[in-house]
């Protein structure tokens, strides 16, 4: 039996195993409950050797200190692992997109430190799927995705509510979210959905839907917690002290609102979200005097302390609920408690309603699944829900309630009265729900199907997608030596390729032990052409455009973390506009330009005074850039964090390889900061005079031979002189 290490990704951060704050805000809804229960239940499966849930670490006085803990142990096989990204303060998940590459880099370093590579990654929501997809590519492992809530559907709803596309994008980063959802349809090995409805209507809005591989796997319900209401009366049943206290709190919280608490209880639970349609439920009850005479109403709309301190949209929703309650004068008939603990109190809330022969209402139209429906069913509480989406599939399968138009208060009221007034119907719905959830919606059943999906991925004979991923990360984390060489003037010089064949043979002979990379002033396209023209060894790393681009393998997979790092205070458009007024330089061709490199030719008269004036010019205009002048011909302006040397140090940090295990090679001032660092370095014989002062650096070897022959000479010098053992023992990680 094959065992797996599974990594789950849900980056927004307000996730803890003990006493999770479900409903605290819009980021802590049912998805948090889903991933926590998936984490716990996967850890109990015999085919799982370890499972980690990666989320964001938060150090913020506005939230619990529990979110500061770097690793939270759930049990001996499950952990919550927290990564700092985008600072320490809590922030809504829509604002995290620009910081997710930092999360990826730190996850890679965590994996390296643990020296335990995952077998499978599983992303949740678009941001979590972005993380999982990147880790999947780095390590060449299967990528499972769960969308939970999709951007195109949310965008459509918000447009109907009157928000402009610009406002939606500004608030929810919607364009980026949708782009990632389109991408994962092609890149994920499996996309898990709760219902067929989710495929047809939610993913049906996406251009890449037909490229996806879907598996319908509804979430489970913990039947040890959500058990039938009548178990309380069984002679052998004993409640824990915690359960007794939870039941007492629930009864107290509900009954303090009610004049006649013995009546049947109409119940709805969810976070403070307009789509939950709580207003319609209250309206259906408030407009129907007969229903008010038959039953009480309880609405649990998330967790609140002080409404005035909540986000504006939640303030509006909760205020409106109270206003509707006041409009129909429902005091003494309606309860709207301020909080509920999802682990202990929510199950008791369902059972309290079931013991009172009440009904649960899920009035969300077109919901993907409807976990609260399954929870209510497991406790024996009949349900009224929408005739579309996941609720329709659940109720048709379980036969535990009625499907009605939840946009119609009258239809909701009629369904509620029908169930409450017919004892036989109530008993039938209650019994059906209990049987169906235990049979088809339990977590053990979910995890068995989940592991079967993973087994099939590894057993497929038609080359599953993850097998074709580069898995470049495994080589980079295990390599003994990184060799990074400049290209033009160092390995080759136009048609001069002296020693290149011997150099390539050496690299190919040692390809299992070393990482080979090129650091060039050329852009991506010109670098790719050079590999074809000169028949260079297959690269593991490519540093292009004078250190402003990093790619992996001959597929040129971009390092998004590097781009995010160097983008800090880089104002390319303002820089180019300002330099139109600077003398003795002219813009190079479009092919020489790049998002993070602005390239010019300089006049023959360009001298040290001109360079000094250029620095002053940028300072006067409050523009930051790194300036590189090569052979007094080519002027490159880069983000101040970008250069070949900074790129090498970034690679050392990201892949947890000490700089002492890098060998760099170059020939000109463009290579200076790459050569003068802590790495072993090589300066070929045909070097520019601007490197002469580096001779005093004992870590830099000046070859007697030019070009590739000189690089090979330097490699042999450094490996013989400093690497006694063929297997290098890595030192502690360097700081970047």
């Amino acid at each position: 039996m094959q065992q797996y290490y599974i990594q789950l990704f849900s980056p927004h951060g307000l996730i803890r195993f003990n006493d999770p704050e479900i409903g605290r805000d819009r980021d802590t809804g049912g998805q948090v409950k889903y991933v926590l229960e998936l984490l716990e239940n996967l850890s109990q499966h015999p085919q799982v050797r370890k499972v980690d849930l990666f989320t964001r670490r938060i150090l913020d006085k506005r939230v619990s200190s529990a979110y500061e803990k770097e690793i939270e142990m759930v049990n001996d096989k499950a952990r919550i692992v927290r990564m700092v990204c985008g600072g320490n303060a809590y922030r809504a998940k829509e604002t995290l997109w620009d910081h997710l590459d930092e999360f990826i880099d730190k996850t890679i370093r965590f994996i390296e430190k643990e020296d335990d590579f995952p077998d499978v990654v599983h992303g949740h929501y678009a941001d979590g799927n972005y993380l999982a997809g990147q880790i999947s590519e780095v390590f060449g492992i299967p990528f499972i995705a769960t969308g939970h809530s999709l951007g195109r559907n949310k965008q459509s709803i918000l447009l109907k509510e009157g928000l402009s596309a610009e406002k939606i994008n500004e608030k929810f980063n919607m364009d980026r979210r949708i782009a990632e959802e389109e991408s994962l349809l092609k890149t994920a090995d499996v996309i898990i959905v709760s219902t067929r409805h989710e495929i047809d209507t939610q993913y049906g809005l996406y251009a890449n839907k037909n490229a996806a591989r879907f598996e319908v796997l509804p979430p489970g319900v913990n039947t040890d917690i959500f058990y039938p209401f009548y178990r309380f009366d069984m002679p052998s049943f004993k409640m824990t002290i915690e359960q007794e206290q939870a039941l007492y709190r629930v009864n107290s919280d509900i009954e303090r609102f009610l004049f006649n608490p013995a009546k049947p209880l109409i119940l709805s639970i969810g976070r403070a979200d307009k789509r939950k349609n709580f207003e319609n439920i209250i309206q259906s009850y408030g407009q129907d005097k007969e229903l008010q005479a038959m039953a009480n109403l309880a609405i649990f709309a998330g967790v609140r302390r002080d409404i005035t301190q909540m986000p504006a949209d939640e303030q509006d929703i909760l205020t409106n609920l109270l206003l509707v309650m006041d409009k129909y004068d429902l005091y003494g008939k309606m309860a709207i408690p301020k909080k509920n603990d999802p682990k202990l109190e929510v199950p008791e809330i369902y059972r309290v309603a079931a013991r009172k022969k009440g009904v649960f209402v899920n009035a969300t139209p077109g919901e993907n699944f409807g976990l609260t429906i399954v929870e209510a069913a497991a406790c024996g509480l009949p349900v009224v829900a929408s005739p579309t989406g996941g609720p329709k599939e659940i109720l048709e399968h379980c036969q535990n309630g009625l499907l009605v138009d939840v946009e119609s208060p009258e239809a909701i009221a009629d369904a509620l009265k029908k169930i409450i007034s017919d004892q036989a119907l109530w008993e039938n719905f209650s019994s059906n729900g209990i049987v169906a959830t235990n049979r088809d919606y339990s977590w053990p059943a979910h995890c068995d199907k989940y592991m079967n999906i993973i087994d099939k991925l590894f057993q497929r004979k038609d080359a599953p997608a993850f097998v074709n991923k580069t898995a470049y990360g495994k080589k980079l984390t295990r390599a003994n030596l990184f060799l990074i060489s400049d290209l033009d003037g160092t390995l080759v010089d136009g048609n001069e390729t002296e020693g290149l064949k011997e150099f390539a043979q050496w690299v190919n002979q040692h390809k299992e032990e070393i990482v080979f990379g090129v650091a060039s002033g050329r852009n991506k396209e010109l670098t790719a052409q050079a590999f074809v023209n000169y028949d260079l060894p297959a690269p593991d790393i490519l540093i292009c455009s004078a250190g402003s681009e990093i790619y992996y393998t001959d597929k040129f997979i971009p390092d998004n973390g590097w781009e995010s790092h160097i983008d800090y205070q880089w104002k390319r458009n303002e820089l180019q506009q300002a330099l139109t007024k600077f003398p003795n330089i002219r813009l190079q061709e479009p092919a020489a330009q790049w998002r993070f490199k602005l390239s010019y030719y300089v006049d023959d008269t360009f001298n040290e005074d001109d360079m000094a004036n250029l620095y002053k010019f940028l300072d006067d205009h409050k523009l930051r850039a790194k300036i590189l002048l090569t052979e007094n011909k080519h002027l490159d302006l880069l983000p101040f964090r970008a250069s070949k040397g900074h790129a090498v140090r970034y690679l050392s940090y990201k892949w947890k390889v000490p700089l002492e295990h890098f060998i760099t090679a170059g020939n000109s001032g463009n290579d200076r900061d790459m050569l003068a660092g802590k790495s072993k370095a090589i300066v070929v014989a045909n070097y520019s005079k601007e490197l002469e002062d580096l001779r005093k650096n004992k870590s830099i070897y000046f070859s007697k031979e030019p070009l590739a022959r000189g690089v090979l000479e330097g490699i042999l010098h450094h490996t013989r002189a400093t690497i006694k053992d063929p297997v290098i023992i890595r030192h502690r990680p360097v700081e970047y």
Side-chain angles (χ1 to χ4, degrees), residues 411-431:
I412 294 173
D414 288 345
L416 290 169
K417 288 188 290 185
K418 181 175 181 179
I419 296 173
I420 291 170
S421 63
D422 189 333
Q423 184 63 27
L425 182 63
W426 191 97
E427 294 287 353
N428 187 44
F429 284 160
S430 175
S431 175

Side-chain angles (χ1 to χ4, degrees), residues 692-712:
E692 182 63 33
D693 65 319
L694 294 180
R695 280 188 178 275
K696 57 189 176 185
N697 189 325
K698 294 181 180 180
S699 296
I700 302 175
Y701 178 78
F702 278 72
S703 297
K704 299 177 180 63
E705 298 287 344
L707 301 178
R709 185 170 289 143
V711 176
L712 185 55

